[in-house]
Amino acid sequence: MLLDKNAQETLSQTIGEQEKRTDAELVTVLARQADDYRYVTLLWAALLSLLVPVALLFLPVWLTPFEGLLLQWGVLLVLAVLFRLKPVQFRVVPRRLQRMRAAGLARQAFLEQGLHRTRGGTGLLIFVSEAEHYVEILADQGIARHVDDSEWQTIVDAFIARVKAGRVAEGFQECVAACGDKLATHVPATEQKNELPNHLIML
């Protein structure tokens, strides 16, 4: 679910408070879904519809070739619609593909939001794709040289648990605070600046 206005304002305030403690620039991005996966669901529907003629060989049903073709088309249409339903869709789309699409969107957002252009390379992206239950923290070189990517994993794991529970707003608040603590230690504030927006960016 997308965050309401109050939750967004609270998150923006939290980001501003944390950025006073560090030279890092925090940007939060929330995507409802990384991809519509239409090509995957259509592929599954087409493959399963190809089994209709095989199934007819083992059933006590006699159909003309035209009737068999109509049945096959009917199965294709029904499955195509069924696989578009969200609870079903994310069961037929491979988890690996979901992660790849979400990770690609995170890197696209990193570039589009200009996190690679901050002074000192201190951009930090907190990216969430809600439908895939995917969370990633991407740090530019000015942060990465001080904090290894593995150190963000505990924060990411906690956030994923919040996303799965439908508590995205709470997860963002906790994640920003935890990132702020780590950044204040490794990349403490040496100047007051605000190069990137503090508000939540929703895709």
Short mmCIF file of all heavy atoms in Angstrom, two decimals, residues 46-97:
data_model
loop_
_atom_site.label_atom_id
_atom_site.label_comp_id
_atom_site.label_asym_id
_atom_site.label_seq_id
_atom_site.Cartn_x
_atom_site.Cartn_y
_atom_site.Cartn_z
N ALA A 46 0.08 -20.08 -22.08
CA ALA A 46 0.25 -20.71 -23.38
C ALA A 46 0.80 -22.13 -23.25
O ALA A 46 0.33 -23.05 -23.92
CB ALA A 46 1.18 -19.86 -24.24
N LEU A 47 1.80 -22.29 -22.38
CA LEU A 47 2.39 -23.62 -22.20
C LEU A 47 1.37 -24.62 -21.66
O LEU A 47 1.29 -25.77 -22.13
CB LEU A 47 3.60 -23.53 -21.26
CG LEU A 47 4.84 -22.83 -21.82
CD1 LEU A 47 5.90 -22.69 -20.73
CD2 LEU A 47 5.40 -23.61 -23.01
N LEU A 48 0.58 -24.20 -20.69
CA LEU A 48 -0.41 -25.11 -20.11
C LEU A 48 -1.54 -25.41 -21.09
O LEU A 48 -2.08 -26.52 -21.09
CB LEU A 48 -0.97 -24.51 -18.82
CG LEU A 48 0.03 -24.44 -17.65
CD1 LEU A 48 -0.58 -23.71 -16.46
CD2 LEU A 48 0.48 -25.84 -17.25
N SER A 49 -1.88 -24.43 -21.92
CA SER A 49 -2.94 -24.68 -22.91
C SER A 49 -2.49 -25.71 -23.95
O SER A 49 -3.33 -26.40 -24.54
CB SER A 49 -3.35 -23.37 -23.59
OG SER A 49 -2.32 -22.90 -24.44
N LEU A 50 -1.19 -25.82 -24.16
CA LEU A 50 -0.68 -26.82 -25.10
C LEU A 50 -0.89 -28.24 -24.60
O LEU A 50 -0.82 -29.21 -25.38
CB LEU A 50 0.81 -26.58 -25.36
CG LEU A 50 1.19 -25.31 -26.14
CD1 LEU A 50 2.70 -25.17 -26.22
CD2 LEU A 50 0.58 -25.35 -27.54
N LEU A 51 -1.16 -28.39 -23.31
CA LEU A 51 -1.40 -29.71 -22.73
C LEU A 51 -2.82 -30.20 -22.96
O LEU A 51 -3.13 -31.35 -22.67
CB LEU A 51 -1.09 -29.69 -21.24
CG LEU A 51 0.36 -29.36 -20.84
CD1 LEU A 51 0.48 -29.31 -19.33
CD2 LEU A 51 1.32 -30.39 -21.43
N VAL A 52 -3.69 -29.32 -23.43
CA VAL A 52 -5.10 -29.70 -23.63
C VAL A 52 -5.24 -30.89 -24.59
O VAL A 52 -5.93 -31.87 -24.27
CB VAL A 52 -5.93 -28.49 -24.11
CG1 VAL A 52 -7.33 -28.94 -24.55
CG2 VAL A 52 -6.03 -27.45 -23.01
N PRO A 53 -4.61 -30.88 -25.77
CA PRO A 53 -4.74 -32.04 -26.67
C PRO A 53 -4.24 -33.33 -26.03
O PRO A 53 -4.82 -34.40 -26.26
CB PRO A 53 -3.89 -31.65 -27.88
CG PRO A 53 -3.86 -30.16 -27.86
CD PRO A 53 -3.84 -29.80 -26.40
N VAL A 54 -3.17 -33.23 -25.25
CA VAL A 54 -2.64 -34.42 -24.57
C VAL A 54 -3.64 -34.95 -23.56
O VAL A 54 -3.88 -36.15 -23.46
CB VAL A 54 -1.30 -34.09 -23.89
CG1 VAL A 54 -0.76 -35.31 -23.15
CG2 VAL A 54 -0.29 -33.60 -24.90
N ALA A 55 -4.24 -34.03 -22.80
CA ALA A 55 -5.23 -34.43 -21.79
C ALA A 55 -6.44 -35.09 -22.44
O ALA A 55 -7.00 -36.05 -21.90
CB ALA A 55 -5.66 -33.21 -20.98
N LEU A 56 -6.84 -34.62 -23.61
CA LEU A 56 -8.01 -35.19 -24.30
C LEU A 56 -7.78 -36.64 -24.71
O LEU A 56 -8.74 -37.42 -24.83
CB LEU A 56 -8.36 -34.34 -25.52
CG LEU A 56 -8.93 -32.95 -25.23
CD1 LEU A 56 -9.12 -32.16 -26.53
CD2 LEU A 56 -10.26 -33.06 -24.48
N LEU A 57 -6.53 -36.99 -24.93
CA LEU A 57 -6.22 -38.38 -25.31
C LEU A 57 -6.55 -39.36 -24.19
O LEU A 57 -6.82 -40.54 -24.45
CB LEU A 57 -4.74 -38.50 -25.69
CG LEU A 57 -4.27 -37.76 -26.95
CD1 LEU A 57 -2.76 -37.90 -27.10
CD2 LEU A 57 -5.00 -38.30 -28.18
N PHE A 58 -6.54 -38.88 -22.95
CA PHE A 58 -6.76 -39.76 -21.80
C PHE A 58 -8.14 -39.58 -21.19
O PHE A 58 -8.44 -40.17 -20.15
CB PHE A 58 -5.69 -39.49 -20.74
CG PHE A 58 -4.29 -39.78 -21.21
CD1 PHE A 58 -3.49 -38.77 -21.74
CD2 PHE A 58 -3.77 -41.07 -21.15
CE1 PHE A 58 -2.21 -39.05 -22.18
CE2 PHE A 58 -2.48 -41.34 -21.59
CZ PHE A 58 -1.69 -40.33 -22.11
N LEU A 59 -8.97 -38.75 -21.82
CA LEU A 59 -10.32 -38.51 -21.31
C LEU A 59 -11.36 -39.13 -22.25
O LEU A 59 -11.18 -39.14 -23.46
CB LEU A 59 -10.58 -37.00 -21.18
CG LEU A 59 -9.72 -36.26 -20.15
CD1 LEU A 59 -10.01 -34.76 -20.22
CD2 LEU A 59 -9.99 -36.77 -18.73
N PRO A 60 -12.44 -39.65 -21.66
CA PRO A 60 -13.49 -40.25 -22.50
C PRO A 60 -14.37 -39.19 -23.15
O PRO A 60 -15.59 -39.15 -22.98
CB PRO A 60 -14.28 -41.10 -21.50
CG PRO A 60 -14.13 -40.35 -20.20
CD PRO A 60 -12.73 -39.78 -20.23
N VAL A 61 -13.72 -38.27 -23.86
CA VAL A 61 -14.42 -37.18 -24.52
C VAL A 61 -14.02 -37.17 -25.99
O VAL A 61 -12.84 -37.27 -26.32
CB VAL A 61 -14.06 -35.82 -23.86
CG1 VAL A 61 -14.78 -34.69 -24.60
CG2 VAL A 61 -14.44 -35.82 -22.39
N TRP A 62 -15.04 -37.07 -26.85
CA TRP A 62 -14.77 -37.04 -28.28
C TRP A 62 -15.10 -35.66 -28.81
O TRP A 62 -16.24 -35.20 -28.76
CB TRP A 62 -15.60 -38.11 -29.00
CG TRP A 62 -15.24 -39.50 -28.56
CD1 TRP A 62 -15.87 -40.24 -27.63
CD2 TRP A 62 -14.14 -40.27 -29.03
NE1 TRP A 62 -15.25 -41.46 -27.45
CE2 TRP A 62 -14.18 -41.51 -28.31
CE3 TRP A 62 -13.12 -40.06 -29.97
CZ2 TRP A 62 -13.24 -42.53 -28.52
CZ3 TRP A 62 -12.19 -41.08 -30.18
CH2 TRP A 62 -12.25 -42.28 -29.46
N LEU A 63 -14.10 -34.98 -29.33
CA LEU A 63 -14.28 -33.64 -29.87
C LEU A 63 -13.75 -33.57 -31.29
O LEU A 63 -12.78 -34.26 -31.63
CB LEU A 63 -13.54 -32.59 -29.02
CG LEU A 63 -13.95 -32.45 -27.55
CD1 LEU A 63 -13.05 -31.43 -26.86
CD2 LEU A 63 -15.41 -32.04 -27.42
N THR A 64 -14.40 -32.76 -32.09
CA THR A 64 -13.87 -32.51 -33.44
C THR A 64 -12.61 -31.66 -33.30
O THR A 64 -12.40 -31.01 -32.26
CB THR A 64 -14.89 -31.77 -34.31
OG1 THR A 64 -15.09 -30.45 -33.77
CG2 THR A 64 -16.22 -32.52 -34.34
N PRO A 65 -11.76 -31.64 -34.33
CA PRO A 65 -10.56 -30.79 -34.26
C PRO A 65 -10.90 -29.34 -33.96
O PRO A 65 -10.18 -28.69 -33.19
CB PRO A 65 -9.94 -30.94 -35.66
CG PRO A 65 -10.38 -32.30 -36.10
CD PRO A 65 -11.77 -32.47 -35.56
N PHE A 66 -12.00 -28.83 -34.56
CA PHE A 66 -12.37 -27.44 -34.30
C PHE A 66 -12.79 -27.24 -32.85
O PHE A 66 -12.43 -26.24 -32.22
CB PHE A 66 -13.50 -27.02 -35.25
CG PHE A 66 -13.92 -25.58 -35.07
CD1 PHE A 66 -13.06 -24.55 -35.44
CD2 PHE A 66 -15.16 -25.27 -34.53
CE1 PHE A 66 -13.44 -23.21 -35.27
CE2 PHE A 66 -15.54 -23.95 -34.36
CZ PHE A 66 -14.68 -22.92 -34.72
N GLU A 67 -13.54 -28.18 -32.30
CA GLU A 67 -13.97 -28.10 -30.90
C GLU A 67 -12.77 -28.17 -29.97
O GLU A 67 -12.69 -27.48 -28.95
CB GLU A 67 -14.96 -29.22 -30.58
CG GLU A 67 -16.32 -29.05 -31.25
CD GLU A 67 -17.21 -30.25 -31.05
OE1 GLU A 67 -16.67 -31.38 -30.86
OE2 GLU A 67 -18.44 -30.10 -31.11
N GLY A 68 -11.80 -29.02 -30.33
CA GLY A 68 -10.58 -29.12 -29.52
C GLY A 68 -9.79 -27.81 -29.54
O GLY A 68 -9.25 -27.39 -28.52
N LEU A 69 -9.77 -27.16 -30.71
CA LEU A 69 -9.07 -25.89 -30.83
C LEU A 69 -9.77 -24.82 -29.99
O LEU A 69 -9.10 -24.03 -29.31
CB LEU A 69 -9.01 -25.46 -32.29
CG LEU A 69 -8.26 -24.16 -32.60
CD1 LEU A 69 -6.81 -24.27 -32.16
CD2 LEU A 69 -8.34 -23.83 -34.08
N LEU A 70 -11.11 -24.79 -30.04
CA LEU A 70 -11.86 -23.83 -29.23
C LEU A 70 -11.61 -24.05 -27.74
O LEU A 70 -11.46 -23.09 -26.97
CB LEU A 70 -13.36 -23.94 -29.53
CG LEU A 70 -13.84 -23.39 -30.88
CD1 LEU A 70 -15.34 -23.62 -31.03
CD2 LEU A 70 -13.50 -21.91 -31.02
N LEU A 71 -11.57 -25.31 -27.34
CA LEU A 71 -11.30 -25.63 -25.94
C LEU A 71 -9.91 -25.14 -25.54
O LEU A 71 -9.72 -24.57 -24.45
CB LEU A 71 -11.41 -27.13 -25.70
CG LEU A 71 -11.08 -27.63 -24.29
CD1 LEU A 71 -12.04 -27.01 -23.27
CD2 LEU A 71 -11.13 -29.15 -24.22
N GLN A 72 -8.94 -25.35 -26.41
CA GLN A 72 -7.58 -24.92 -26.13
C GLN A 72 -7.50 -23.40 -25.99
O GLN A 72 -6.85 -22.88 -25.08
CB GLN A 72 -6.64 -25.40 -27.24
CG GLN A 72 -5.17 -25.22 -26.92
CD GLN A 72 -4.30 -25.90 -27.96
OE1 GLN A 72 -4.72 -26.11 -29.10
NE2 GLN A 72 -3.08 -26.24 -27.57
N TRP A 73 -8.18 -22.69 -26.88
CA TRP A 73 -8.21 -21.24 -26.79
C TRP A 73 -8.90 -20.78 -25.51
O TRP A 73 -8.48 -19.82 -24.87
CB TRP A 73 -8.94 -20.66 -28.00
CG TRP A 73 -8.16 -20.71 -29.28
CD1 TRP A 73 -6.84 -21.06 -29.42
CD2 TRP A 73 -8.65 -20.42 -30.59
NE1 TRP A 73 -6.47 -21.02 -30.74
CE2 TRP A 73 -7.55 -20.62 -31.49
CE3 TRP A 73 -9.88 -20.04 -31.10
CZ2 TRP A 73 -7.69 -20.42 -32.85
CZ3 TRP A 73 -10.00 -19.83 -32.47
CH2 TRP A 73 -8.91 -20.03 -33.35
N GLY A 74 -9.98 -21.48 -25.15
CA GLY A 74 -10.70 -21.13 -23.92
C GLY A 74 -9.82 -21.30 -22.70
O GLY A 74 -9.81 -20.44 -21.79
N VAL A 75 -9.06 -22.40 -22.66
CA VAL A 75 -8.15 -22.64 -21.54
C VAL A 75 -7.09 -21.55 -21.48
O VAL A 75 -6.75 -21.04 -20.40
CB VAL A 75 -7.50 -24.03 -21.66
CG1 VAL A 75 -6.36 -24.19 -20.65
CG2 VAL A 75 -8.54 -25.12 -21.47
N LEU A 76 -6.58 -21.17 -22.65
CA LEU A 76 -5.56 -20.10 -22.72
C LEU A 76 -6.11 -18.80 -22.14
O LEU A 76 -5.44 -18.14 -21.33
CB LEU A 76 -5.12 -19.90 -24.16
CG LEU A 76 -4.20 -18.71 -24.44
CD1 LEU A 76 -2.89 -18.84 -23.66
CD2 LEU A 76 -3.92 -18.58 -25.93
N LEU A 77 -7.32 -18.41 -22.54
CA LEU A 77 -7.91 -17.16 -22.06
C LEU A 77 -8.18 -17.20 -20.56
O LEU A 77 -7.90 -16.24 -19.84
CB LEU A 77 -9.20 -16.87 -22.83
CG LEU A 77 -9.04 -16.48 -24.30
CD1 LEU A 77 -10.40 -16.35 -24.98
CD2 LEU A 77 -8.27 -15.17 -24.42
N VAL A 78 -8.73 -18.31 -20.09
CA VAL A 78 -9.04 -18.43 -18.67
C VAL A 78 -7.78 -18.37 -17.82
O VAL A 78 -7.71 -17.66 -16.81
CB VAL A 78 -9.81 -19.75 -18.38
CG1 VAL A 78 -9.91 -19.99 -16.87
CG2 VAL A 78 -11.21 -19.69 -18.99
N LEU A 79 -6.74 -19.08 -18.24
CA LEU A 79 -5.48 -19.08 -17.49
C LEU A 79 -4.81 -17.71 -17.54
O LEU A 79 -4.21 -17.27 -16.56
CB LEU A 79 -4.54 -20.15 -18.03
CG LEU A 79 -4.95 -21.60 -17.76
CD1 LEU A 79 -3.95 -22.56 -18.39
CD2 LEU A 79 -5.06 -21.87 -16.26
N ALA A 80 -4.88 -17.05 -18.70
CA ALA A 80 -4.27 -15.73 -18.83
C ALA A 80 -4.90 -14.75 -17.85
O ALA A 80 -4.20 -13.93 -17.23
CB ALA A 80 -4.41 -15.22 -20.26
N VAL A 81 -6.21 -14.82 -17.70
CA VAL A 81 -6.91 -13.95 -16.74
C VAL A 81 -6.59 -14.36 -15.31
O VAL A 81 -6.31 -13.52 -14.45
CB VAL A 81 -8.43 -13.98 -16.98
CG1 VAL A 81 -9.16 -13.22 -15.87
CG2 VAL A 81 -8.76 -13.38 -18.34
N LEU A 82 -6.62 -15.66 -15.05
CA LEU A 82 -6.36 -16.17 -13.70
C LEU A 82 -4.97 -15.78 -13.21
O LEU A 82 -4.78 -15.33 -12.08
CB LEU A 82 -6.51 -17.69 -13.69
CG LEU A 82 -6.19 -18.41 -12.37
CD1 LEU A 82 -7.17 -17.98 -11.28
CD2 LEU A 82 -6.22 -19.92 -12.55
N PHE A 83 -3.98 -15.92 -14.09
CA PHE A 83 -2.59 -15.64 -13.71
C PHE A 83 -2.31 -14.14 -13.54
O PHE A 83 -1.26 -13.77 -13.06
CB PHE A 83 -1.62 -16.23 -14.73
CG PHE A 83 -1.56 -17.74 -14.72
CD1 PHE A 83 -0.99 -18.43 -15.77
CD2 PHE A 83 -2.09 -18.46 -13.66
CE1 PHE A 83 -0.93 -19.82 -15.77
CE2 PHE A 83 -2.04 -19.85 -13.65
CZ PHE A 83 -1.46 -20.53 -14.71
N ARG A 84 -3.26 -13.29 -13.95
CA ARG A 84 -3.09 -11.85 -13.73
C ARG A 84 -3.51 -11.45 -12.33
O ARG A 84 -3.19 -10.34 -11.89
CB ARG A 84 -3.92 -11.07 -14.76
CG ARG A 84 -3.42 -11.18 -16.18
CD ARG A 84 -2.06 -10.58 -16.35
NE ARG A 84 -2.07 -9.14 -16.07
CZ ARG A 84 -0.97 -8.43 -15.81
NH1 ARG A 84 0.20 -9.02 -15.74
NH2 ARG A 84 -1.06 -7.13 -15.59
N LEU A 85 -4.24 -12.30 -11.63
CA LEU A 85 -4.65 -12.00 -10.26
C LEU A 85 -3.41 -12.02 -9.37
O LEU A 85 -2.60 -12.95 -9.43
CB LEU A 85 -5.67 -13.03 -9.76
CG LEU A 85 -6.98 -13.12 -10.57
CD1 LEU A 85 -7.87 -14.23 -10.02
CD2 LEU A 85 -7.71 -11.78 -10.56
N LYS A 86 -3.25 -10.98 -8.55
CA LYS A 86 -2.01 -10.81 -7.79
C LYS A 86 -1.61 -12.01 -6.95
O LYS A 86 -0.45 -12.42 -6.97
CB LYS A 86 -2.11 -9.55 -6.91
CG LYS A 86 -2.26 -8.26 -7.69
CD LYS A 86 -1.12 -8.04 -8.67
CE LYS A 86 -1.32 -6.75 -9.44
NZ LYS A 86 -0.31 -6.57 -10.51
N PRO A 87 -2.54 -12.60 -6.18
CA PRO A 87 -2.11 -13.75 -5.36
C PRO A 87 -1.58 -14.91 -6.20
O PRO A 87 -0.70 -15.65 -5.76
CB PRO A 87 -3.40 -14.14 -4.61
CG PRO A 87 -4.24 -12.91 -4.64
CD PRO A 87 -3.94 -12.26 -5.96
N VAL A 88 -2.14 -15.07 -7.41
CA VAL A 88 -1.70 -16.15 -8.28
C VAL A 88 -0.44 -15.75 -9.04
O VAL A 88 0.49 -16.54 -9.20
CB VAL A 88 -2.82 -16.52 -9.28
CG1 VAL A 88 -2.36 -17.66 -10.20
CG2 VAL A 88 -4.09 -16.89 -8.54
N GLN A 89 -0.42 -14.50 -9.50
CA GLN A 89 0.70 -14.02 -10.32
C GLN A 89 2.04 -14.24 -9.63
O GLN A 89 2.99 -14.74 -10.25
CB GLN A 89 0.51 -12.54 -10.62
CG GLN A 89 1.60 -11.95 -11.50
CD GLN A 89 1.45 -10.46 -11.67
OE1 GLN A 89 1.54 -9.71 -10.69
NE2 GLN A 89 1.20 -10.02 -12.89
N PHE A 90 2.12 -13.90 -8.36
CA PHE A 90 3.41 -13.99 -7.69
C PHE A 90 3.75 -15.41 -7.24
O PHE A 90 4.79 -15.64 -6.63
CB PHE A 90 3.45 -13.00 -6.52
CG PHE A 90 3.66 -11.59 -6.98
CD1 PHE A 90 2.58 -10.75 -7.23
CD2 PHE A 90 4.93 -11.11 -7.22
CE1 PHE A 90 2.78 -9.46 -7.69
CE2 PHE A 90 5.14 -9.83 -7.69
CZ PHE A 90 4.06 -9.00 -7.92
N ARG A 91 2.86 -16.35 -7.57
CA ARG A 91 3.20 -17.75 -7.36
C ARG A 91 3.75 -18.39 -8.63
O ARG A 91 4.50 -19.36 -8.56
CB ARG A 91 1.97 -18.53 -6.88
CG ARG A 91 1.54 -18.18 -5.47
CD ARG A 91 0.36 -19.03 -5.02
NE ARG A 91 -0.04 -18.72 -3.67
CZ ARG A 91 0.50 -19.23 -2.56
NH1 ARG A 91 1.49 -20.11 -2.68
NH2 ARG A 91 0.08 -18.90 -1.37
N VAL A 92 3.38 -17.83 -9.77
CA VAL A 92 3.87 -18.40 -11.03
C VAL A 92 5.10 -17.68 -11.56
O VAL A 92 5.84 -18.23 -12.39
CB VAL A 92 2.75 -18.39 -12.11
CG1 VAL A 92 1.56 -19.21 -11.65
CG2 VAL A 92 2.34 -16.99 -12.48
N VAL A 93 5.33 -16.45 -11.10
CA VAL A 93 6.54 -15.73 -11.52
C VAL A 93 7.70 -16.17 -10.63
O VAL A 93 7.61 -16.08 -9.40
CB VAL A 93 6.34 -14.21 -11.39
CG1 VAL A 93 7.64 -13.48 -11.74
CG2 VAL A 93 5.22 -13.74 -12.30
N PRO A 94 8.78 -16.66 -11.18
CA PRO A 94 9.92 -17.13 -10.37
C PRO A 94 10.45 -16.04 -9.45
O PRO A 94 10.56 -14.88 -9.84
CB PRO A 94 10.97 -17.51 -11.43
CG PRO A 94 10.18 -17.79 -12.66
CD PRO A 94 9.02 -16.85 -12.63
N ARG A 95 10.75 -16.44 -8.23
CA ARG A 95 11.25 -15.48 -7.25
C ARG A 95 12.54 -14.82 -7.73
O ARG A 95 12.76 -13.62 -7.49
CB ARG A 95 11.49 -16.20 -5.92
CG ARG A 95 12.01 -15.31 -4.80
CD ARG A 95 11.05 -14.19 -4.48
NE ARG A 95 11.56 -13.30 -3.45
CZ ARG A 95 11.11 -12.09 -3.24
NH1 ARG A 95 10.11 -11.61 -3.96
NH2 ARG A 95 11.63 -11.33 -2.30
N ARG A 96 13.37 -15.57 -8.41
CA ARG A 96 14.62 -15.01 -8.91
C ARG A 96 14.36 -13.87 -9.90
O ARG A 96 15.04 -12.84 -9.87
CB ARG A 96 15.44 -16.10 -9.58
CG ARG A 96 16.79 -15.63 -10.10
CD ARG A 96 17.57 -16.78 -10.72
NE ARG A 96 18.85 -16.33 -11.23
CZ ARG A 96 19.72 -17.12 -11.87
NH1 ARG A 96 19.42 -18.40 -12.07
NH2 ARG A 96 20.87 -16.64 -12.30
N LEU A 97 13.36 -14.04 -10.75
CA LEU A 97 13.01 -13.00 -11.71
C LEU A 97 12.46 -11.77 -10.99
O LEU A 97 12.77 -10.63 -11.36
CB LEU A 97 11.98 -13.52 -12.72
CG LEU A 97 11.48 -12.51 -13.75
CD1 LEU A 97 12.65 -11.97 -14.59
CD2 LEU A 97 10.43 -13.14 -14.65
#
